[in-house]
Amino acid sequence: MRLLVTGGAGFIGSNFVRYVLAEHADCAVVNLDKLTYAGNLENLRDVEADPRYRFVRGDVAAPADVERAVQAAREAFGGLDAVVHFAAESHVDRSIEDPQVFVRTNVLGTQVLLDAARRHAVGRFLQVSTDEVYGSLGEGDAPWTEDSPPAPNSPYAASKAAADLLARACGRTYGLPVLITRCSNNYGPYQFPEKLIPLAVTNALAGEEVPVYGDGRHVRDWIHVEDHCRAVDLVLRRGRPGEVYNVGGENEARNIDVVRAVLRELGLPDEPGTPGCPIRFVADRPGHDRRYAMSSDRLRRELGWRRRWAFADGLRQTVRWYLDNRAWWERVRSGEHRAFRERTVGGR
Ligand SMILES: NC(=O)c1ccc[n+]([C@@H]2O[C@H](COP(=O)([O-])OP(=O)(O)OC[C@H]3O[C@@H](n4cnc5c(N)ncnc54)[C@H](O)[C@@H]3O)[C@@H](O)[C@H]2O)c1
């Protein structure tokens, strides 16, 4: 399969590029990425010399850039079989601060890619989406299924829901073979340290406070990025066009418990309020979703997917990775990210 992967220099995209190149000898990848603050070519150092890999710097919302990436696939690999669309603005806090860039990249960018996929008669288009499009659950509510209606609460989630609907419409109206995956909270190597787990690890290692929103009892369903990448690859190859596939981690946990587990892995005091414990509760995020939980029954039943990482093992491996890759996160924490943290809760 010759793939156009967008956002391949980000957290999940880079793990996916590495995964497919290792897993499928006959796979080739063009990675189209704008290299925003979240994109980092260092994430793909180990594959950049692979003859099956090409990088194109460009914006998914700019038709000329997308066209360049398609031409790169044509020149290097003789054509393009599928698009796997990861590129997005992905941080809820940033979407609250500046929603417009989320609409441009996540909504317009998806439409530009869909138009290009149609024009070039690409065989599959996989839209990588999120459980956040479903909104928020109460404690006793049943997990979402693929039939649950979209009810997004943040500008980020609304932009992803809009993109999902445009992808669906493109399938129905023009017959493009569109697939949508909706995944829960990912963790693992190469995650930008603005998200909960790497923020906790890197702040604690840097001797800074670890901010936790509100009462810390917000529940997320954590999945290791490798389990997500395997799901995307399965849906890409064997999923039914027109369908949505939820990808849940089967690991519901409260934010405060996740942060405490990280601190225990680092050998630091984890009881809030005790000496040496870096946890600081901060004012809650506006519109903060209380709980996410999804059923992955369709993915398991139709495609035989199973998660391989138990949360405790995955967290240990991830914390180890940040310990072993201090130079990586010290570099990405400097500059733009620091400026953002200083404007928001993570800053002090
Ligand atoms: N992180 C999660 O827990 C999670 C869960 C479910 C779904 N998702 C989805 O998975 C995808 C990837 O998430 P991530 O956590 O890896 O994000 P990320 O922020 O780490 O990476 C996003 C990548 O997209 C690139 N990008 C941003 N705007 C672009 C543009 N206009 N044109 C081209 N490239 C652009 C960035 O440079 C970066 O490399 C997103 O679509 C996100 O909505 C993420």
Side-chain angles (χ1 to χ4, degrees):
M1 246 189 188
R2 297 160 300 182
L3 306 180
L4 172 58
V5 174
T6 69
F11 162 48
I12 306 173
S14 63
N15 277 283
F16 179 77
V17 170
R18 183 174 300 101
Y19 175 83
V20 289
L21 290 176
E23 196 67 16
H24 307 290
D26 61 347
C27 188
V29 172
V30 169
N31 171 15
L32 172 65
D33 198 298
K34 187 178 175 182
L35 299 181
T36 66
Y37 77 95
N40 184 353
L41 288 179
E42 258 190 79
N43 299 0
L44 287 166
R45 277 286 175 261
D46 51 334
V47 304
E48 68 187 8
D50 191 318
R52 299 171 300 152
Y53 172 77
R54 293 287 185 285
F55 174 68
V56 174
R57 185 169 190 181
D59 181 350
V60 290
D65 289 1
V66 173
E67 195 55 33
R68 264 196 304 121
V70 174
Q71 292 314 324
R74 198 163 275 162
E75 279 160 31
F77 310 126
L80 192 59
D81 301 308
V83 175
V84 186
H85 179 32
F86 290 97
E89 289 292 337
S90 69
H91 190 39
V92 174
D93 288 343
R94 287 176 188 265
S95 81
I96 293 168
E97 201 181 73
D98 179 12
Q100 289 193 16
V101 64
F102 283 69
V103 174
R104 183 174 191 280
T105 288
N106 300 2
V107 184
L108 178 62
T110 301
Q111 188 60 52
V112 168
L113 276 171
L114 288 164
D115 290 344
R118 243 174 3 101
R119 213 167 40 247
H120 293 284
V122 169
R124 315 274 271 183
F125 186 104
L126 194 147
Q127 156 74 1
V128 179
S129 188
T130 165
D131 58 359
E132 299 194 30
V133 301
Y134 294 123
S136 180
L137 290 171
E139 232 167 70
D141 293 344
W144 293 302
T145 70
E146 290 81 356
D147 297 326
S148 304
N153 293 320
S154 70
Y156 163 67
S159 69
K160 293 296 291 187
D164 289 8
L165 296 177
L166 289 170
R168 176 195 148 95
C170 189
R172 297 289 165 120
T173 304
Y174 306 108
L176 186 75
V178 167
L179 303 127
I180 298 174
T181 53
R182 293 192 177 132
C183 192
S184 58
N185 276 46
N186 283 226
Y187 68 95
Y190 299 102
Q191 187 167 28
F192 195 85
E194 63 187 354
K195 308 281 167 67
L196 185 71
I197 290 178
L199 181 72
V201 178
T202 59
N203 274 21
L205 287 175
E208 294 175 13
E209 288 176 332
V210 176
V212 173
Y213 278 129
D215 62 5
R217 290 163 183 265
H218 302 83
V219 173
R220 301 293 181 260
D221 178 15
W222 294 93
I223 184 169
H224 193 283
V225 65
E226 278 171 26
D227 283 329
H228 182 194
C229 290
R230 200 154 25 78
V232 168
D233 189 42
L234 272 175
V235 172
L236 176 66
R237 282 156 200 278
R238 303 198 351 242
R240 282 182 293 134
E243 285 299 341
V244 175
Y245 291 86
N246 288 347
V247 188
E250 301 153 344
N251 274 309
E252 281 188 58
R254 300 185 312 179
N255 287 349
I256 183 65
D257 295 330
V258 170
V259 169
R260 292 186 64 177
V262 166
L263 296 177
R264 284 196 299 278
E265 283 299 326
L266 292 171
L268 293 171
D270 70 309
E271 178 72 42
T274 59
C277 176
I279 293 172
R280 181 168 65 95
F281 289 100
V282 298
D284 209 354
R285 166 194 278 166
H288 202 177
D289 291 335
R290 197 65 182 166
R291 173 176 168 241
Y292 302 140
M294 271 187 315
S295 155
S296 312
D297 280 357
R298 175 175 290 168
L299 184 66
R300 297 165 71 89
R301 207 178 47 246
E302 289 185 16
L303 303 179
W305 177 87
R306 298 284 179 275
R307 79 170 156 84
R308 293 190 182 152
W309 282 97
F311 185 59
D313 299 336
L315 190 66
R316 181 157 309 131
Q317 178 248 17
T318 301
V319 170
R320 185 76 256 160
W321 188 87
Y322 282 87
L323 284 167
D324 292 344
N325 291 277
R326 192 166 183 130
W328 179 90
W329 60 260
E330 281 184 342
R331 267 197 295 281
V332 299
R333 263 167 60 103
S334 61
E336 209 278 341
H337 175 48
R338 179 160 294 278
F340 177 73
R341 288 193 319 140
E342 278 159 11
R343 289 200 303 276
T344 60
V345 293
R348 279 170 291 126

